[in-house]
Amino acid sequence: MIRFILPALIASVTGLPVNNAFAHNPTDTLHDWAQARVEANDAGAIVVARIDGDTVSIRGYGRRQVSDDTTPDAHTRFQIGSITKVFTNLLLAERVAADAVRYDQPIGNLLPDAFAPANPAVMNITLMQLATHGSGLPRLPPNLAPINHADPYAGFDDAALLAGMKATRASQPLGRHYGYSNFGTGVLGHLLSRQADTDYYALVDTQVVAPLK
């Protein structure tokens, strides 16, 4: 539901120092940074791609798994976590542009007819509030009980998502404040795919990934 996997990852280099050495020799500085992160156990695996015109060079650091000493490469898969939210919000923009949904549309219009949440205000949350973390939904579904913390949403299907929405407590102040919510983004992805009568992965692929190449 919330996870989305891509076959390659360009590592985040937010922590790189901005100095003259980096400006003059970025490749060596990036190499030293990535190697240091692996040796310090700050990262188990890093893959970096350098694009220079038409030339692409890729280098991996660390290892694919604890039980596998193979160095990661361009085909190593990473979980991209909350970067998935970018794909979900792009999907919302595409569906609005296609007149399939509206930003101000209450989610009650897109839920099953028999859906009856403990907190009736759930039905008035808008798609825009889900996308901008203004829904008031908690950060995580109230019924999420991960067995594998490395993959916490494994097995958390559409039925579990709807059950979590039903269980949102009656005193939860909805639609009134900002509150970062993985739950809200998951609900948004579910509702968009439900409206399009397909699954989330197929919809993101056809509406976002393929057009952007």
Side-chain angles (χ1 to χ4, degrees):
M1 178 192 67
I2 294 176
R3 294 170 296 114
F4 189 76
I5 305 299
L6 291 180
L9 174 76
I10 297 179
S12 170
V13 293
T14 306
L16 281 175
V18 179
N19 54 33
N20 290 335
F22 177 67
H24 287 94
N25 200 342
T27 301
D28 288 347
T29 302
L30 182 56
H31 166 77
D32 293 342
W33 175 84
Q35 191 64 39
R37 297 288 71 73
V38 168
E39 292 176 357
N41 289 322
D42 291 337
I46 298 174
V47 175
V48 177
R50 178 181 177 182
I51 303 173
D52 186 3
D54 293 331
T55 302
V56 179
S57 57
I58 296 174
R59 184 164 184 173
Y61 302 84
R63 53 187 181 177
R64 291 181 180 176
Q65 302 179 56
V66 174
S67 58
D68 184 355
D69 289 331
T70 305
T71 302
D73 57 24
H75 301 289
T76 302
R77 292 188 174 191
F78 290 80
Q79 286 194 22
I80 62 173
S82 287
I83 296 174
T84 308
K85 292 181 174 66
V86 177
F87 290 90
T88 305
N89 284 8
L90 285 172
L91 180 58
L92 172 61
E94 288 298 313
R95 299 302 290 163
V96 169
D99 292 326
V101 297
R102 305 186 320 273
Y103 286 124
D104 64 352
Q105 187 167 355
I107 67 174
N109 296 162
L110 301 173
L111 287 163
D113 292 338
F115 184 79
N119 186 343
V122 166
M123 306 294 275
N124 296 323
I125 294 171
T126 67
L127 297 181
M128 177 61 84
Q129 288 173 331
L130 291 176
T132 58
H133 302 278
S135 68
L137 290 174
R139 177 174 174 269
L140 298 174
N143 58 332
L144 179 66
I147 298 175
N148 178 7
H149 288 279
D151 191 3
Y153 294 98
F156 194 82
D157 57 13
D158 292 345
L161 183 73
L162 292 175
M165 292 177 68
K166 283 186 178 181
T168 299
R169 66 183 188 272
S171 60
Q172 182 84 21
L174 300 178
R176 300 180 190 173
H177 64 279
Y178 170 84
Y180 189 84
S181 179
N182 291 330
F183 185 24
T185 305
V187 171
L188 178 59
H190 167 75
L191 293 177
L192 292 175
S193 56
R194 175 181 169 80
Q195 188 278 330
D197 195 25
T198 186
D199 65 84
Y200 175 82
Y201 299 100
L203 197 58
V204 168
D205 186 44
T206 57
Q207 300 287 311
V208 178
V209 178
L212 291 175
K213 300 182 181 179

